[in-house]
Amino acid sequence: MKPISFLSACQLLALSRAFTIPSSRLHYNYLTSGGKFVFGFGHQDHHKFFSRSISVSPHREFEALKTKQRDSKTTTSLHVTTTPVFDFTLKNATTKQKSANSFERIDDAIMGGISQSSLRDVPDKDYASWSGVCRTDGGGFCGTRTLPFKSAPLNATNQDGVFMDCNLASDDEPEKRIWKFTVRTDTSRGEMVYQAQFDLKAAIDKATLNSNADTSDTHPWARVMVPFDQFQLVRGPRLVPDGPKLDVSGGIFQIGMTLSKFQIAANTTQLEDFRPGYFNLHIQSIGFYRNEAGDNGVTNGSGAKVPDTFTKKEAESKRPLVLKFLLPVAKLLFSEQANRRRSAMNILREKRGLTRPKAILFGIRSRRMAMGLLPSVMKTLGIIGVDAFRTGLKTLLKIVFVYPSKLVVAAVRNCRKMLGMKAKPSSAE
């Protein structure tokens, strides 16, 4: 075998993307006898090596990819005009910081999970970072969304969808997560919202093919574009039956993104080969786009007008009185720290084979190193007491409120069915 000397670095990168091979692990040779391109992936200093051959020459394979992209461009002749709303580039330091401060986390802690993420500004860099750790224990998603706007909602009149310029800096497997855009058309902050999945891998592949001029750019900026007509009303990851179509004529009150193991479907559907763990998505801008008849070109708007948002503390102070009362109770019942302790207990019992008492003693010994024996014992007893109170309160609320409510809802649904009226399916159906 002899090394390929006639392929440019860009062509190799495009091929590695096309076959989902991380470019940093691509090994390649050209079989002169068989006329095949052979590549493998793995650590170069390891003896274990995986390979795959393609009976098409590298030039031919690359040209096929370019032809496919060129044909897709000539099928429809549209000019895209973007209107950035949040700009995380270095064009304006005030806009960059304000854009990053407009978002808050909305992770799976609300449903008993232990995932964590945040969208934060990265000083002196041309992007913001939405990063964190997504875990499947009790949940399986990370999210970020805009804080409530102080004045009018975002004006999406005459726009065709939302866009985001980004790249995945943490790994080369965007296809092993479900990526979603979220928009809201009212001031509520509940679980019912409009969502649409987007194909981050396809956007990255397209950006890679377009970055031929800069062969050193191993992570080109990908543009994700999601039309408004692809958004569907969901409750959590599940479609709302007969949900109304998205209507942005009244404005958009929230924009967000979600990384999840759950696909948007009528029933709870998980991605089989979901990749949990660390992720880091670099984001340059988020906004709206409009399609017009034209020359397949793109006009990128400048000067993002970032809306004024309430701070998290201000937003909490403006909540209805009922929510002000219920949210502290909800935080007590669904404490993120309690979720993490439960996950740690499960690991100690299931993976290390410890009984509950031995797991508790393990915790005491671990804390003793940092705070001493007596404080460690007192802290452990306090945690046990709080967790016992939380469990008792949950049980009481289920008996007093949850179970009777389910009985009433089931009775109403059965009555409607008996009368021949249309009844919405239950969450278990």
Side-chain angles (χ1 to χ4, degrees):
M1 296 184 185
K2 65 177 182 178
I4 296 174
S5 59
F6 52 83
L7 277 179
S8 68
C10 177
Q11 289 172 320
L12 285 173
L13 178 60
L15 286 170
S16 69
R17 289 284 190 185
F19 293 94
T20 63
I21 307 299
S23 57
S24 61
R25 298 182 179 181
L26 184 67
H27 312 292
Y28 48 89
N29 286 283
Y30 188 70
L31 295 181
T32 54
S33 58
K36 295 183 179 181
F37 180 60
V38 179
F39 60 86
F41 54 96
H43 295 286
Q44 295 185 14
D45 57 346
H46 287 187
H47 294 293
K48 192 172 182 180
F49 180 80
F50 300 91
S51 63
R52 176 178 175 184
S53 64
I54 309 170
S55 57
V56 181
S57 71
H59 280 309
R60 219 176 273 174
E61 182 68 27
F62 182 75
E63 289 303 321
L65 291 171
K66 293 293 291 180
T67 301
K68 182 178 179 181
Q69 183 190 27
R70 184 170 59 251
D71 291 344
S72 66
K73 286 183 178 180
T74 56
T75 301
T76 55
S77 183
L78 293 174
H79 187 91
V80 177
T81 302
T82 64
T83 303
V85 178
F86 303 99
D87 187 350
F88 307 101
T89 65
L90 296 173
K91 296 175 183 177
N92 185 299
T94 302
T95 298
K96 175 179 171 66
Q97 187 65 56
K98 187 177 179 180
S99 295
N101 292 341
S102 299
F103 288 81
E104 65 173 347
R105 61 175 290 222
I106 180 74
D107 298 327
D108 58 18
I110 59 175
M111 58 176 289
I114 58 173
S115 300
Q116 278 189 317
S117 71
S118 64
L119 191 152
R120 58 184 177 82
D121 180 37
V122 182
D124 301 323
K125 296 294 183 180
D126 209 30
Y127 54 81
S129 169
W130 176 36
S131 60
V133 178
C134 186
R135 302 188 185 278
T136 55
D137 299 343
F141 71 88
C142 290
T144 184
R145 65 181 181 181
T146 50
L147 288 158
F149 302 134
K150 284 187 175 180
S151 55
L154 301 177
N155 183 4
T157 305
N158 298 324
Q159 303 290 346
D160 291 309
V162 292
F163 84 92
M164 175 172 62
D165 291 334
C166 60
N167 70 48
L168 186 60
S170 55
D171 57 85
D172 291 324
E173 295 184 320
E175 71 279 5
K176 291 192 176 181
R177 290 103 161 183
I178 301 297
W179 304 88
K180 307 173 187 177
F181 251 124
T182 297
V183 297
R184 194 183 295 276
T185 56
D186 55 40
T187 57
S188 69
R189 307 287 283 183
E191 62 177 345
M192 288 184 60
V193 71
Y194 285 92
Q195 280 190 341
Q197 294 181 193
F198 61 85
D199 190 341
L200 181 57
K201 181 182 181 303
I204 292 174
D205 287 345
K206 183 177 179 180
T208 301
L209 290 175
N210 288 335
S211 65
N212 295 341
D214 184 8
T215 57
S216 64
D217 189 3
T218 57
H219 285 285
W221 292 102
R223 171 158 290 177
V224 173
M225 301 175 67
V226 184
F228 284 136
D229 57 16
Q230 289 187 7
F231 283 82
Q232 297 172 286
L233 188 63
V234 299
R235 180 185 285 109
R238 301 177 60 176
L239 289 170
V240 174
D242 302 321
K245 292 184 177 181
L246 175 63
D247 180 6
V248 300
S249 60
I252 290 179
F253 291 78
Q254 176 188 304
I255 291 180
M257 293 86 67
T258 301
L259 176 157
S260 177
K261 71 175 183 180
F262 301 105
Q263 302 178 21
I264 297 176
N267 298 308
T268 303
T269 306
Q270 299 185 20
L271 184 66
E272 292 183 358
D273 58 346
F274 176 73
R275 172 173 173 159
Y278 177 72
F279 74 95
N280 186 4
L281 187 71
H282 291 172
I283 304 175
Q284 283 194 322
S285 60
I286 300 172
F288 303 125
Y289 73 89
R290 182 177 71 254
N291 292 321
E292 300 171 319
D295 56 356
N296 285 321
V298 177
T299 301
N300 292 315
S302 59
K305 296 181 179 180
V306 184
D308 293 327
T309 61
F310 291 107
T311 64
K312 193 171 182 64
K313 189 174 182 180
E314 289 173 337
E316 290 175 352
S317 67
K318 292 182 176 295
R319 286 169 176 162
L321 187 61
V322 176
L323 283 180
K324 288 182 180 180
F325 170 75
L326 291 177
L327 283 176
V329 177
K331 287 182 179 180
L332 175 63
L333 295 177
F334 304 102
S335 164
E336 195 166 346
Q337 289 183 342
N339 294 339
R340 295 184 182 281
R341 287 197 296 269
R342 185 179 64 250
S343 177
M345 177 64 75
N346 290 337
I347 291 173
L348 290 173
R349 296 187 67 186
E350 295 174 5
K351 295 187 177 181
R352 295 198 178 185
L354 300 182
T355 62
R356 183 175 291 274
K358 287 184 177 180
I360 293 174
L361 290 175
F362 176 83
I364 293 175
R365 288 195 299 269
S366 300
R367 294 189 186 95
R368 184 184 61 184
M369 301 175 187
M371 61 177 63
L373 179 59
L374 184 59
S376 176
V377 172
M378 297 303 295
K379 184 175 180 64
T380 301
L381 291 175
I383 290 172
I384 293 173
V386 171
D387 286 349
F389 173 75
R390 182 182 290 111
T391 301
L393 184 58
K394 281 184 180 180
T395 303
L396 179 63
L397 290 176
K398 285 181 180 179
I399 294 173
V400 175
F401 295 107
V402 178
Y403 295 147
S405 299
K406 287 185 176 181
L407 289 174
V408 171
V409 172
V412 171
R413 187 184 299 109
N414 290 333
C415 288
R416 292 177 67 90
K417 287 181 178 179
M418 290 175 61
L419 295 173
M421 301 171 66
K422 186 174 182 180
K424 291 184 178 180
S426 67
S427 58
E429 291 178 342

